[in-house]
Amino acid sequence: MRTRGGLWAATAVLVATMTVAGCASGAAPGEAGDGDATPRATATAAASTPAPAEATATPAPAPDALASVDTIVVTAAGLSLRQGEVELASLDVVALPLDEAVALLTRALGEPREAGVEEDHCQPAQTRWGWGEGTYLGTPDLYTDEGTLTFTTKDTSIETDDGRSVRLQTPGGIAVGDPIAPLAEATDPAYTDDFSADPSREVLSLVYDLVRADEVSGDEISPYGASVHSIDGLVTAILGPSTLKDYC
């Protein structure tokens, strides 16, 4: 028979056991449990943003060397495009097609203008391009060998759009407007021709860079090569390879 004291002791043990079990199954502080209205904050990792790709710089195009030409030397072979004493390019009037020759001079002198040539009994109409006031490059005519481009300048120099002054001259440095005497003194008289029809006006032409001397009849020859024309002792034109005398 249980006594009242034993009953109270058993009851006390039962209560203590339930209390411990309740504590063990309860939600920890700060956690969301049954009836807890405050949710626990959950940290979310920030999305990683890829670093921008490093930009690749596009290299600037190299400047055209022919944009620095300051002198064009006219020889029987063609044109030598120079900066000072340094040749940057050469234009072969014998072997180069007209469009390629025009493209080369355009790089040195700027955009050309197209200019027709009057047709007469000695010279057929040409396709030619011009720079400055009187500088022309064109297809062959009766005064040149077949396939050889014509070149003529009546300019001392050509002023380009970028501010350069390009001088046109013989290998010895003679340009339009200079005295012809130094060239005349250094040239064989057989390669000169006096076209003076008026005694009061001296008109002299000479081949300063000879290619050949064609025999016309007997002892008479027609020199072929780069030449100059002069009036009253001053050079008025420099020409690429052509015949000096007109026998058309």
Side-chain angles (χ1 to χ4, degrees), residues 227-241:
S227 61
V228 298
H229 290 235
S230 70
I231 296 176
D232 294 335
L234 298 180
V235 173
T236 57
I238 301 176
L239 295 86

Side-chain angles (χ1 to χ4, degrees), residues 107-165:
R107 291 169 56 193
L109 299 176
E111 291 297 325
R113 64 181 184 281
E114 188 172 14
V117 177
E118 284 189 25
E119 186 173 6
D120 59 31
H121 71 287
C122 285
Q123 182 172 322
Q126 294 176 280
T127 298
R128 70 174 186 171
W129 300 85
W131 292 264
E133 297 296 324
T135 299
Y136 300 98
L137 180 72
T139 52
D141 63 19
L142 294 181
Y143 298 108
T144 65
D145 285 349
E146 184 178 354
T148 300
L149 300 178
T150 61
F151 178 80
T152 304
T153 182
K154 296 181 179 180
D155 296 314
T156 302
S157 60
I158 294 175
E159 308 304 316
T160 65
D161 290 340
D162 59 5
R164 287 174 294 125
S165 180

Side-chain angles (χ1 to χ4, degrees), residues 7-23:
L7 181 61
W8 279 107
T11 302
V13 171
L14 179 59
V15 172
T17 302
M18 292 177 64
T19 302
V20 171
C23 290

